[in-house]
Amino acid sequence: MHLKTVVIQSAPDSRPRWVTDCLLGVEAWSKDHGFAYQFFDDSFFDVLPDWYRKKLSGRGPILADLARLLHIRAALEAGADRVIWCDADTLIIDGSWQPSVTAHSRFGEEHWLQRDKSGRLEIRRQPHNAFMIFLQASPVLNFLIHTIESMIARVDPGHIAPQMVGPKLLKALHNLAHFDLEPEAGAMSPLLLKAIRQADIDVIDFFLERSGQVPKCLNLCASLIDESDLDIEGIRQKIAALL
């Protein structure tokens, strides 16, 4: 079955060069597979209700959690059969990769590599919204939009936790609804990034053994990276070679 697929991304005009490199990689991947590509700059948030923007002024990530869903819905209403969302800091590792067949909704699955309190390596698996797929038939999209708007309308502005209506909400709902997840669309923890850049085979082998998946695209989690410039192509090649 041929699907008309739209890939959506957004990033502010002011951004690190390495994020632009990631954007270009996703755009090229989209075109290689015949997907339409839509990019939004600072106008990305214009789709939000006025009350939502005012209440969350200055809280970019939480504003984006709803904005991305509204843009996805708009693309579906405009005629797309399938919409794929990729965060701006998504690195395509394997350009030939195509996401799994999705019944109606799918989220990325991060295998978050970290150390526990005793210093031992561990992996935490959970859904993330840096990568999402929605089809026309999705019963999840409108429910998420409703849930986020309802939560933000009722919450005390002084007690809005980071990721409250993003990954944390998805994780809570996943425990009940058991969403379809895409393990090949993962997330790069700072510890994993360091291991890959330093070719730390022990840490990498632990990640591969415990995750059970070779990621084909990774969200680099820009908010956790202090560097203003990364050699994206060099990192991609290292990941492709090591993984």
Side-chain angles (χ1 to χ4, degrees):
M1 179 177 63
H2 177 71
L3 293 175
K4 178 183 176 183
T5 300
V6 176
V7 176
I8 300 179
Q9 290 193 284
S10 172
D13 294 332
S14 177
R15 57 181 182 264
R17 173 64 200 181
W18 70 266
V19 173
T20 298
D21 291 340
C22 285
L23 290 167
L24 292 173
V26 171
E27 182 178 9
W29 171 75
S30 303
K31 291 182 178 179
D32 286 345
H33 291 286
F35 303 154
Y37 181 79
Q38 291 184 1
F39 175 79
F40 293 91
D41 53 18
D42 291 331
S43 64
F44 176 64
F45 299 110
D46 292 350
V47 71
L48 292 169
D50 288 341
W51 69 264
Y52 192 92
R53 296 179 67 179
K54 291 177 181 178
K55 190 166 187 177
L56 295 173
S57 178
R59 307 292 295 272
I62 302 179
L63 289 168
D65 286 329
L66 178 58
R68 68 188 67 188
L69 297 176
L70 295 176
H71 281 289
I72 290 169
R73 184 169 68 182
L76 290 170
E77 290 176 346
D81 296 313
R82 177 176 68 171
V83 178
I84 300 175
W85 166 270
C86 295
D87 271 12
D89 51 352
T90 296
L91 174 62
I92 299 294
I93 298 167
D94 181 356
S96 67
W97 170 70
Q98 290 211 46
S100 304
V101 175
T102 302
H104 54 73
S105 315
R106 187 178 294 265
F107 301 93
E109 181 181 31
E110 64 181 34
H111 296 170
W112 193 258
L113 180 67
Q114 61 183 30
R115 294 188 184 276
D116 63 19
K117 293 181 179 179
S118 67
R120 292 177 299 184
L121 291 171
E122 66 174 4
I123 284 181
R124 294 189 176 184
R125 301 186 183 203
Q126 54 194 15
H128 67 83
N129 65 344
F131 179 91
M132 301 185 291
I133 302 176
F134 290 102
L135 275 65
Q136 288 275 358
S138 175
V140 177
L141 180 57
N142 281 330
F143 173 74
L144 278 179
I145 291 172
H146 166 76
T147 301
I148 290 173
E149 291 181 339
S150 176
M151 289 175 64
I152 295 301
R154 292 177 289 116
V155 72
D156 181 340
H159 295 84
I160 300 176
Q163 301 186 340
M164 174 182 172
V165 293
K168 288 184 178 179
L169 175 60
L170 284 184
K171 182 178 179 181
L173 292 174
H174 180 60
N175 291 333
L176 299 171
H178 194 67
F179 296 128
D180 286 341
L181 302 183
E182 180 57 77
E184 292 184 333
M188 177 91 76
S189 72
L191 180 58
L192 179 59
L193 177 60
K194 179 180 178 181
I196 289 172
R197 296 175 76 180
Q198 297 180 354
D200 189 333
I201 301 302
D202 290 340
V203 174
I204 293 170
D205 284 348
F206 176 91
F207 173 79
L208 291 176
E209 179 183 349
R210 297 300 178 90
S211 68
Q213 291 286 339
V214 177
K216 300 301 177 66
C217 76
L218 282 169
N219 176 250
L220 296 185
C221 302
S223 62
L224 301 178
I225 296 177
D226 294 331
E227 301 171 65
S228 60
D229 191 28
L230 290 176
D231 178 8
I232 289 300
E233 180 56 25
I235 291 173
R236 189 198 66 78
Q237 291 179 4
K238 286 183 178 181
I239 296 172
L242 293 170
L243 303 184

